[in-house]
Amino acid sequence: MLNLLGVFLVGYLIGSIPTGYLIVRNRHRLDVLKEGSGKAGGFNAYLVTGSKATGVLVGVVDALKGLVAVYGVGQVFPGEFTNQAVALFGAVAGQNYPVWQRFKGGRGLSTTAGGLLLLGFSYTIVWCALWLAGRLFRREILTSNLVAIFLTPAVLWIIPWKWVNMFIAVETESGTFLFFTCILSVLLIFAHFDVVSAVWRQSKTG
């Protein structure tokens, strides 16, 4: 239990580095936390600055935080999926709720994607496919995010495990990985609470 708490805190500290805020502040003299959606991720950085380069840069750096957290813990606890998964949870929590910025951060998608490069790329593949389908129907990026987050764990449960396991770098059992995907999606849904509220209000008025 102490190991898990430790790796979570390590992941949180890495994820909580306010890279998005710093990049936008240094490149454009803007406070990304006070503009647009108030999120510090790549999409809001792009909307606030109008610069695709800045948006991509923020997204890539956020992804590196997830990658570094998972890789670093993997070096200390090689081959232990649970420890690396908890480190990724910590990195996503740090990205979304950094203590240094009064718990105002991003949505965690890029950080998640970076960590999953080493931990379980199956989630990313399914998420991207569902996101593209959502974009074709709704053409709204944040709504497509939400659809993909909700449905990815369910799709991974349905797909044969041997297919899912092909893209998992760390050995683990199907139940452990599928439980991990559910927790990961819950974390991402919390970061999209404003989108959930907007969709709910639209459905009520529509």
Side-chain angles (χ1 to χ4, degrees):
M1 183 60 71
L2 288 177
N3 281 348
L4 294 180
L5 178 60
V7 298
F8 180 87
L9 289 175
V10 168
Y12 180 88
L13 290 173
I14 294 171
S16 68
I17 300 170
T19 50
Y21 170 83
L22 293 173
I23 290 171
V24 174
R25 172 67 78 182
N26 290 335
R27 289 171 66 98
H28 301 277
R29 299 295 185 267
L30 294 171
D31 186 344
V32 72
L33 299 175
K34 295 181 179 179
E35 305 285 346
S37 65
K39 297 293 184 179
F43 182 56
N44 195 46
Y46 160 66
L47 292 179
V48 167
T49 65
S51 169
K52 290 183 180 179
T54 296
V56 170
L57 178 60
V58 171
V60 169
V61 174
D62 286 346
L64 285 174
K65 292 194 286 188
L67 182 69
V68 168
V70 172
Y71 178 79
V73 169
Q75 295 303 298
V76 179
F77 302 101
E80 295 190 20
F81 179 86
T82 300
N83 283 307
Q84 291 174 267
V86 171
L88 180 55
F89 292 154
V92 173
Q95 165 68 11
N96 295 349
Y97 312 105
V99 65
W100 330 111
Q101 295 177 311
R102 299 182 179 180
F103 303 102
K104 292 182 64 178
R107 299 189 189 276
L109 290 172
S110 294
T111 303
T112 297
L116 290 176
L117 284 173
L118 298 178
L119 196 57
F121 201 62
S122 304
Y123 186 102
T124 306
I125 293 172
V126 172
W127 189 94
C128 289
L130 292 170
W131 186 88
L132 288 171
R135 282 282 283 162
L136 288 173
F137 283 101
R138 293 297 300 269
R139 299 185 181 280
E140 297 174 11
I141 289 178
L142 294 178
T143 304
S144 299
N145 288 354
L146 199 58
V147 169
I149 293 166
F150 267 116
L151 295 182
T152 295
V155 172
L156 288 169
W157 276 86
I158 295 169
I159 295 175
W161 171 243
K162 63 180 181 179
W163 296 356
V164 176
N165 197 37
M166 287 172 58
F167 300 97
I168 300 176
V170 183
E171 185 176 350
T172 185
E173 297 179 353
S174 60
T176 301
F177 181 76
L178 295 173
F179 178 72
F180 157 74
T181 66
C182 292
I183 300 298
L184 190 57
S185 283
V186 168
L187 286 175
L188 296 176
I189 288 169
F190 272 118
H192 285 75
F193 186 76
D194 56 326
V195 184
V196 175
S197 299
V199 171
W200 175 257
R201 288 194 300 269
Q202 185 178 4
S203 66
K204 296 287 281 187
T205 57

